[in-house]
């Protein structure tokens, strides 16, 4: 693409058609009246413009034939045609300049905003996770983002050095926190930093997080900086290219194109289109930027596509805090192995004297889960008199369900047995009830059910003897069934009351 290609058509409004054919000029009446009218409207003194054609031997650029221009008028027209040409060129290219400048400004604002959002997100994440510990060392993280901005603005050092310094400073602050019982003088910390930054990678205190962060941040920041620099370069190049120097040959050609029809007394006669193109191309030929301009545009498009995809700074900015957090977690989880390597290479550290040792905060004790242990709960006051009634009821339901499941495991069904079929004697039932409550033996095969309550009907009358089935069972067992069931009910009732506890 030729950056000044639109400028080739700047003067086409002066000659919109294919131009006059041969002999067309002979059909036009030459007169200074129209010339005086046009130049007078431009501010020319009519005293300098003759009312009729005069000899043109004094002309330097226009044909030396009969003319309406004096020498002074011709020189003024030459200067005006140059200014008109420059103005047309600058007006046509200003849109491209403004477009590149606007894109540069928008991208720059977007990038810096994303960087600020990433810094704010990291502050929130680490403040929530580490609290006061992060606040004490926040300068390290703020310094990282400051240096990233400097790199983007072309005033900072390389990204590799920036990230390496950050991880080294972070290690110097975090490693002593893992060993508060030791003292780490500056020489020891220097050894620690050198060991962590060694090229052999023998010590990786933060795991693979530094490498992954460096790859993602480097490619994104490098692409973003190259893109914004490219927009700025394009704007500057176009701005400079629009400052067209008019050579003597270009000036004379522009005068023949624009000014000479006025001097010849035919200002309404438009030059042909080919004449316009040849003049403009000749004047701009030394300002052409091809093929470099086309390659420049291709590079911008390719990089813009990358920044919207794999090199997206939005994704990279969001991952800064995540990668740093992953590195810190790796150091905590592998502190024993990392410390052993450091102590082997840098020597064992000196213990902190007991009088100077700062005791770490020790937290309130964690009490057990039982109700009795809640007396010592440091967080709240718990009523230890016993569980409430709904809880006791639920526990009783659990115990009953447990008994049914244990009986079912032995092949017994506690719910599907008839009370009358197991009333053959009180001894077995009494042993079942006592042993079950005491937890000594497993339930018998067919435990009795509570007696049916007396059914009131018309045959018994008020306070009658109950149902026939109930009376029949009583008569057969001689009262043993009633005694057995009554005793069972009492045992279960006492058990229920014991579970419910005192009120």
């Amino acid at each position: 693409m030729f950056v000044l290609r639109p400028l080739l058509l700047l003067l086409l409004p002066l000659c919109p058609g294919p131009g006059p054919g041969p002999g067309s000029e002979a059909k036009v009446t030459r007169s200074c009246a129209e010339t005086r009218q046009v130049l007078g409207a431009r501010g020319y003194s009519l005293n300098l413009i003759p009312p009729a054609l005069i000899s043109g031997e004094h002309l330097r650029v226009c044909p030396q034939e009969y003319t309406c221009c004096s020498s002074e008028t011709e020189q003024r027209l030459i200067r005006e045609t140059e200014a008109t040409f420059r103005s047309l060129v600058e007006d046509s290219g200003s849109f491209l300049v403004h477009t590149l400048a606007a894109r540069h400004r928008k991208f720059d604002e977007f990038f810096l905003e994303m960087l600020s959002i990433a810094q704010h997100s990291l502050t929130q994440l680490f403040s929530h996770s580490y609290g006061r510990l992060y606040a004490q060392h926040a300068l390290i993280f703020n310094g990282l983002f400051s240096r990233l901005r400097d790199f983007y603005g072309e005033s900072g050092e390389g990204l590799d050095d920036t990230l390496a310094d950050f991880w080294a400073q972070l290690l110097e602050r975090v490693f002593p926190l893992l060993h508060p019982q030791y003292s780490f003088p500056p020489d020891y910390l220097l050894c620690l930093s050198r060991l962590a930054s060694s090229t052999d990678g023998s010590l990786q205190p933060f795991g693979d997080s530094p490498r992954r962060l460096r790859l993602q941040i480097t490619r994104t920041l490098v692409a973003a900086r190259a893109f914004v620099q490219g927009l700025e370069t394009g704007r500057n190049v176009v701005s400079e290219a629009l400052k067209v120097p008019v050579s003597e040959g270009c000036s004379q050609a522009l005068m023949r194109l624009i000014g000479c029809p006025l001097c010849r007394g035919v200002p309404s006669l438009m030059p042909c289109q080919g004449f316009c193109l040849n003049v403009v191309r000749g004047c701009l030929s030394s300002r052409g930027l091809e093929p470099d301009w086309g390659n420049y545009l291709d590079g911008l498009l390719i990089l813009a596509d990358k920044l919207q995809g794999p090199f997206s700074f939005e994704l990279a900015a969001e991952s800064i805090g995540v990668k740093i957090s992953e590195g810190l977690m790796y150091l905590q989880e592998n502190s024993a192995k990392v410390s052993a390597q450091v102590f082997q290479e840098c020597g064992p550290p000196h213990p902190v004297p007991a009088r100077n040792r700062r005791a770490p905060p020790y937290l309130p004790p964690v009490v057990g889960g039982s109700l009795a242990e809640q007396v010592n709960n440091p967080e709240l006051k718990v009523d230890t008199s016993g569980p409430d009634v709904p809880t006791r009821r639920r526990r009783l339901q659990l115990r009953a369900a447990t008994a049914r499941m244990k009986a079912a495991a032995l092949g017994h069904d506690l719910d599907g047995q008839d009370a009358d079929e197991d009333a053959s004697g009180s001894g077995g039932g009494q042993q079942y009830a006592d042993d079950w409550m005491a937890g000594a033996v497993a339930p018998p095969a067919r435990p009795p059910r509570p007696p049916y309550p007396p059914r009131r009907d018309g045959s018994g009358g008020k306070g009658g003897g109950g149902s026939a089935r109930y009376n029949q069972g009583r008569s057969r067992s001689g009262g043993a069934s009633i005694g057995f069931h009554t005793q069972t009910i009492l045992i279960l009732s006492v058990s229920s009351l014991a579970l419910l506890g005192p009120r």
Side-chain angles (χ1 to χ4, degrees):
M1 178 181 179
F2 178 33
V3 64
L4 299 180
R5 183 172 296 171
L7 307 181
L8 295 175
L9 306 179
L10 288 175
L11 301 181
L12 290 184
L14 300 178
C15 44
S24 300
E25 185 178 345
K27 302 177 182 179
V28 179
T29 302
R30 299 173 58 185
S31 170
C32 293
E34 189 175 358
T35 300
R36 287 169 61 86
Q37 182 180 0
V38 173
L39 295 181
R42 295 184 186 179
Y44 282 71
S45 174
L46 295 181
N47 295 329
L48 300 177
I49 306 173
L53 296 173
I54 62 175
S55 175
E57 297 177 353
H58 58 279
L59 299 178
R60 296 178 51 194
V61 176
C62 295
Q64 294 180 345
E65 55 188 19
Y66 289 101
T67 182
C68 298
C69 294
S70 62
S71 298
E72 183 178 355
T73 303
E74 184 187 38
Q75 293 300 317
R76 184 173 176 180
L77 284 175
I78 291 175
R79 294 192 297 269
E80 284 187 357
T81 55
E82 293 179 5
T84 300
F85 179 72
R86 289 194 181 96
S87 177
L88 289 173
V89 170
E90 293 177 0
D91 291 343
S92 178
S94 61
F95 172 77
L96 183 57
V97 174
H98 294 328
T99 300
L100 292 173
R103 296 296 181 269
H104 175 275
R105 183 178 64 257
K106 289 293 184 181
F107 183 84
D108 188 64
E109 293 174 354
F110 167 77
F111 179 86
L112 295 177
E113 181 182 5
M114 288 295 101
L115 203 57
S116 299
I117 291 176
Q119 184 176 3
H120 181 67
S121 299
L122 183 144
T123 300
Q124 286 187 324
L125 173 65
F126 279 50
S127 296
H128 178 74
S129 302
Y130 301 101
R132 186 173 58 182
L133 187 62
Y134 168 74
Q136 294 174 350
H137 304 283
L139 289 178
I140 300 177
F141 302 92
N142 295 337
L144 170 64
F145 284 95
S146 178
R147 295 172 74 176
L148 292 180
R149 291 187 184 92
D150 291 341
F151 174 82
Y152 170 75
E154 305 180 53
S155 60
E157 57 186 1
L159 280 178
D160 289 345
D161 295 336
T162 296
L163 295 175
D165 290 345
F166 165 75
W167 289 109
Q169 293 180 30
L170 188 61
L171 180 62
E172 292 178 2
R173 300 294 183 91
V174 175
F175 190 79
L177 296 177
L178 299 176
H179 306 282
Q181 70 275 21
Y182 294 122
S183 174
F184 296 94
D187 293 343
Y188 199 97
L189 295 178
L190 180 60
C191 176
L192 175 64
S193 299
R194 290 177 178 174
L195 184 62
S197 60
S198 59
T199 56
D200 57 359
S202 58
L203 180 67
Q204 294 183 346
F206 299 104
D208 198 39
S209 295
R211 184 189 66 85
R212 292 188 289 123
L213 179 62
R214 177 179 58 82
L215 290 177
Q216 191 166 15
I217 290 297
T218 298
R219 67 183 186 182
T220 300
L221 274 178
V222 169
R225 187 171 73 168
F227 186 76
V228 76
Q229 289 175 350
L231 291 174
E232 184 178 11
T233 299
R235 180 196 63 190
N236 296 336
V237 166
V238 174
S239 297
E240 292 296 326
L242 293 178
K243 299 175 182 178
V244 180
V246 179
S247 63
E248 182 178 358
C250 175
S251 176
Q252 293 178 0
L254 290 172
M255 180 60 185
R256 288 194 299 270
L257 180 68
I258 303 174
C260 288
L262 289 169
C263 293
R264 299 178 67 188
V266 286
S268 59
L269 183 64
M270 306 297 292
C272 65
Q273 191 177 72
F275 185 19
C276 292
L277 290 176
N278 287 334
V279 171
V280 176
R281 285 173 178 171
C283 290
L284 298 178
S285 59
S286 62
R287 314 297 289 179
L289 301 176
E290 284 290 355
D292 301 303
W293 180 255
N295 296 332
Y296 161 81
L297 291 181
D298 292 339
L300 272 184
L301 295 176
I302 293 174
L303 198 53
D305 184 64
K306 290 290 185 179
L307 287 171
Q308 293 177 349
F311 292 175
S312 171
F313 185 73
E314 294 180 83
L315 300 178
E318 293 174 358
S319 69
I320 294 177
V322 176
K323 295 292 190 300
I324 296 175
S325 180
E326 291 176 353
L328 290 174
M329 292 174 60
Y330 180 90
L331 178 60
Q332 293 176 1
E333 295 173 357
N334 299 269
S335 60
K337 181 181 69 174
V338 173
S339 299
Q341 290 181 269
V342 172
F343 294 164
Q344 181 179 1
E345 296 293 334
C346 299
H350 299 289
V352 177
R355 63 179 181 274
N356 296 331
R357 186 177 304 172
R358 295 178 57 185
Y362 288 113
L363 298 173
V366 179
V367 298
S370 66
L371 185 61
E373 292 175 297
Q374 298 306 309
V375 177
N376 301 321
N377 193 316
E379 306 299 338
L380 73 162
K381 184 178 181 181
V382 181
D383 183 9
T384 58
S385 59
D388 54 13
V389 173
T391 302
R392 296 169 186 167
R393 185 179 299 113
R394 287 189 287 269
R395 293 176 62 179
L396 182 60
Q397 292 172 353
L398 290 175
R399 294 188 183 184
T402 302
R404 285 194 298 270
M405 290 187 293
K406 289 184 178 180
L410 297 175
H412 309 313
D413 183 9
L414 298 184
D415 295 328
Q417 300 174 359
D418 192 284
D420 295 333
E421 295 178 0
D422 217 13
S424 59
S426 62
Q430 183 65 39
Q431 178 186 8
Y432 167 79
D434 293 340
D435 292 342
W436 182 29
M437 296 305 297
V441 297
R446 301 179 67 80
R449 303 178 69 180
Y452 292 98
R455 181 174 59 188
R456 296 187 180 187
D457 51 18
S459 62
K462 183 177 182 180
S467 67
R469 183 176 180 181
Y470 177 81
N471 293 331
Q472 290 174 1
R474 179 176 181 179
S475 63
R476 286 198 303 266
S477 61
S481 178
I482 295 178
F484 171 80
H485 289 302
T486 303
Q487 191 173 14
T488 303
I489 291 174
L490 291 175
I491 293 173
L492 291 176
S493 299
V494 172
S495 174
S496 300
L497 292 174
L499 287 174
L500 292 176
R503 287 292 293 168

